[in-house]
Amino acid sequence: MTSGYRQMAEYRILLIDDDDRFNESVKAALKGFDIVICSSLIEARSLISNNIDVVLLDLVFDENRPEVLEGMSMLSYIKKNYPDLPIIIMTNYGSTEITVKAIKAGAVDFINKKELDWSAWKNRLEYYCKKSSEYRQLYQKYRALENQYSDSEIIGKSKEIDFIRKRLEDLGRSSDEVSIFICGETGTGKNLAVKYFRKHSVRRDKPFKEFSLIELSETILESELFGHVRGAFTGAGNEKMGLFEEADGGILFL
């Protein structure tokens, strides 16, 4: 096994099927995996978790009504709540139409029970489990970084980034009487620079107002910035405080 991957026995597969004999045969055939057996759709909802690597889901739960694909509702539920969890559909009543319907609904693969060969399926299951596990690990790392760096952090280790951070921190500490002009192309981080400045500003606990000046008429722009009294112009039904007044003592980001 490649270093960094979990051993196969650590991969957890949730098997959702009401056929007890079939479930036991699956557990015997897939000894290399941790198989969690569930015989009802209601029970399955309580067993689904982030610790599951792959779901094996039966479609038909009433042999007298094979046309009723109850498993499809479970497929929809899992995709809605665990969108990245691989689901493999199983049924005795396979058809191209059913296969297409399941794949469109989010299933990654399809097993026809009547033609089932677990020796051939083991490698495919391990592949799906491995991908699922890798994704979860990456997602956990992402969340850890997200928690480490708030939306007011500037990430980077270059001399230029260090200079920008230091400059904004210095400006923040002396921001009682200062106006700042930050320029740069779209996507270069002007908004982030303002939030970083605010974090280190002596005004960080005071009001922070953010406003875009683009494509506004003079009347609306003047009203937003300076406010207006009732009846000042058509549509001015109430008195409005302007952003300069709302941000008084704090920061106004235009």
Side-chain angles (χ1 to χ4, degrees):
M1 186 67 66
T2 305
S3 176
Y5 292 126
R6 293 160 57 189
Q7 295 299 311
M8 192 165 70
E10 294 180 347
Y11 291 133
R12 180 168 290 178
I13 296 175
L14 178 62
L15 172 60
I16 308 173
D17 196 306
D18 61 341
D19 186 336
D20 293 335
R21 285 198 303 177
F22 176 76
N23 290 344
E24 289 304 318
S25 68
V26 172
K27 196 165 187 177
L30 300 179
K31 287 182 179 178
F33 298 88
D34 179 11
I35 308 295
V36 179
I37 294 177
C38 178
S39 58
S40 78
L41 294 176
I42 295 176
E43 182 188 7
R45 294 196 177 208
S46 64
L47 291 176
I48 287 284
S49 73
N50 289 318
N51 294 322
I52 300 296
D53 293 299
V54 165
V55 174
L56 295 176
L57 174 63
D58 190 17
L59 282 183
V60 177
F61 284 77
D62 185 348
E63 291 186 3
N64 296 319
R65 297 191 303 160
E67 74 282 359
V68 180
L69 306 177
E70 293 180 73
M72 291 298 293
S73 64
M74 190 66 200
L75 174 58
S76 299
Y77 173 82
I78 296 172
K79 294 309 297 180
K80 179 180 179 180
N81 294 281
Y82 301 89
D84 300 297
L85 181 57
I87 304 167
I88 299 172
I89 291 297
M90 308 181 300
T91 184
N92 281 318
Y93 309 94
S95 69
T96 302
E97 183 182 355
I98 292 175
T99 303
V100 170
K101 185 176 182 180
I103 297 299
K104 282 185 175 181
V108 297
D109 218 325
F110 192 93
I111 292 176
N112 188 329
K113 290 182 180 180
K114 293 179 180 178
E115 303 171 1
L116 186 54
D117 180 1
W118 284 118
S119 61
W121 262 93
K122 275 188 175 181
N123 288 336
R124 290 168 78 174
L125 284 172
E126 186 177 3
Y127 168 80
Y128 288 126
C129 285
K130 186 183 292 184
K131 290 297 180 183
S132 178
S133 177
E134 286 175 349
Y135 175 83
R136 274 207 316 280
Q137 290 174 21
L138 284 173
Y139 182 73
Q140 288 168 0
K141 288 180 180 178
Y142 166 77
R143 291 307 301 266
L145 284 172
E146 192 177 49
N147 292 332
Q148 182 179 352
Y149 298 105
S150 68
D151 63 356
S152 63
E153 287 295 330
I154 297 177
I155 302 172
K157 296 182 179 179
S158 68
K159 291 180 180 178
E160 292 78 7
I161 290 294
D162 285 340
F163 171 78
I164 289 173
R165 274 195 294 257
K166 186 69 168 59
R167 184 65 175 141
L168 290 170
E169 289 168 14
D170 290 342
L171 286 169
R173 284 190 286 268
S174 59
S175 60
D176 273 343
E177 297 293 335
V178 63
S179 295
I180 298 179
F181 177 68
I182 298 175
C183 60
E185 295 180 7
T186 300
T188 53
K190 298 184 294 295
N191 192 290
L192 182 60
V194 171
K195 291 179 179 178
Y196 188 84
F197 163 79
R198 183 194 180 202
K199 178 181 176 181
H200 295 276
S201 169
V202 295
R203 303 185 181 203
R204 59 182 169 271
D205 297 322
K206 300 292 181 63
F208 176 75
K209 296 296 177 180
E210 188 174 349
F211 183 68
S212 173
L213 304 175
I214 299 173
E215 296 180 359
L216 291 178
S217 67
E218 275 190 38
T219 302
I220 295 177
L221 181 59
E222 183 178 354
S223 171
E224 290 292 334
L225 294 177
F226 301 100
H228 61 255
V229 295
R230 182 178 180 180
F233 54 86
T234 303
N238 296 298
E239 186 173 332
K240 174 181 170 55
M241 183 184 294
L243 288 170
F244 281 112
E245 189 175 358
E246 289 183 6
D248 186 37
I251 296 171
L252 175 59
F253 173 36
L254 302 176

